[in-house]
């Protein structure tokens, strides 16, 4: 039993990316993919979303897992605060669109979009994890991307606890001074 625990911890460590996130100031890679909001599928392009204001792009490992469920609920509960600060929230996962359709309705409460991330997108945003012998998934990294397409803030932590708080604070810092 102890050997299995040590192996699991070692496998998780080996699955972590060498660097956890793109640095602030880096250009966010543009992408086009499919998303779902309140169960409705649509085409999503980052550059189009940025025309409306900053984007909080948060990557999560897998829909309907405990940490991802908690994070989606926390973002859903805070969507009004993000909108008041001028930002759009988009969740990203390597999950297939049918899974994300259901997730967008149930856990995201229809309040924000979730979209499918291709392997190239996971690499481009430096969030790719590889399960030993399995498919690529993303680590838990949240980005705030300014209207200029540059990374303004990055928070990478497998715990979902601080992602909403830190990204909302970063979005608020982007607001013009009055």
């Amino acid at each position: 039993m102890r050997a299995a625990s040590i192996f699991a911890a070692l496998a998780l460590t080996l699955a972590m990316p060498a660097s956890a996130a793109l640095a602030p100031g880096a250009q966010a890679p543009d992408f086009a993919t499919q998303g779902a909001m309140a169960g409705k599928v649509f085409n999503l392009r980052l550059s189009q979303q940025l025309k409306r204001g900053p984007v909080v792009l948060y990557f999560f490992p897998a829909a309907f897992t405990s940490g991802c469920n908690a994070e989606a609920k926390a973002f859903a509960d805070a969507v009004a605060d993000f909108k008041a600060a001028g930002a759009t929230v988009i969740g990203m996962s390597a999950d297939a669109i049918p899974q994300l359709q259901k997730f967008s309705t149930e856990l995201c409460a229809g309040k924000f979009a979730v979209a499918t991330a291709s392997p190239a997108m996971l690499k481009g945003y430096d969030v790719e994890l590889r399960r030993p012998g399995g498919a690529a998934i993303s680590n838990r990294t949240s980005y705030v991307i300014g209207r200029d397409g540059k990374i303004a803030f990055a928070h990478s932590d497998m715990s979902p606890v601080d992602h909403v708080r830190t990204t909302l604070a970063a979005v608020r810092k982007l607001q013009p001074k009055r």
Side-chain angles (χ1 to χ4, degrees):
M1 180 90 156
R2 187 165 190 270
S5 297
I6 292 170
F7 178 74
L10 180 60
L12 181 60
T13 302
L14 293 174
M16 297 301 282
S19 65
L22 297 176
Q27 185 67 39
D30 194 14
F31 60 83
T33 190
Q34 283 195 308
M37 186 162 171
K40 292 186 170 75
V41 176
F42 65 97
N43 293 321
L44 181 124
R45 179 174 285 282
L46 177 63
S47 56
Q48 291 300 111
Q49 298 295 313
L50 289 170
K51 289 179 180 178
R52 293 188 281 163
V55 170
V56 174
L57 188 65
Y58 87 89
F59 288 86
F60 60 95
F64 298 109
T65 58
S66 61
C68 298
N69 293 351
E71 186 176 31
K73 182 179 181 336
F75 271 109
D77 290 347
V79 158
D81 295 327
F82 282 102
K83 284 183 180 176
T88 300
V89 174
I90 302 169
M92 297 292 294
S93 166
D95 291 321
I97 203 69
Q99 181 84 339
L100 293 174
Q101 279 182 274
K102 187 176 176 186
F103 192 70
S104 74
T105 300
E106 294 179 20
L107 278 298
C108 305
K111 293 184 178 181
F112 65 92
V114 286
T116 187
S118 69
M121 290 166 60
L122 296 177
K123 285 180 185 175
Y125 277 90
D126 200 15
V127 295
E128 180 184 46
L129 292 179
R130 285 257 171 216
R131 294 183 202 175
I137 62 170
S138 76
N139 72 350
R140 191 177 314 282
T141 298
S142 298
Y143 290 104
V144 174
I145 305 169
R147 286 186 94 144
D148 62 359
K150 299 216 185 273
I151 303 293
F153 176 81
H155 179 94
S156 190
D157 188 341
M158 286 306 278
S159 169
V161 174
D162 288 327
H163 286 261
V164 170
R165 181 184 59 78
T166 60
T167 55
L168 183 56
V171 166
R172 286 178 173 153
K173 285 181 183 177
L174 293 178
Q175 290 182 314
K177 304 286 186 236
R178 295 179 194 190

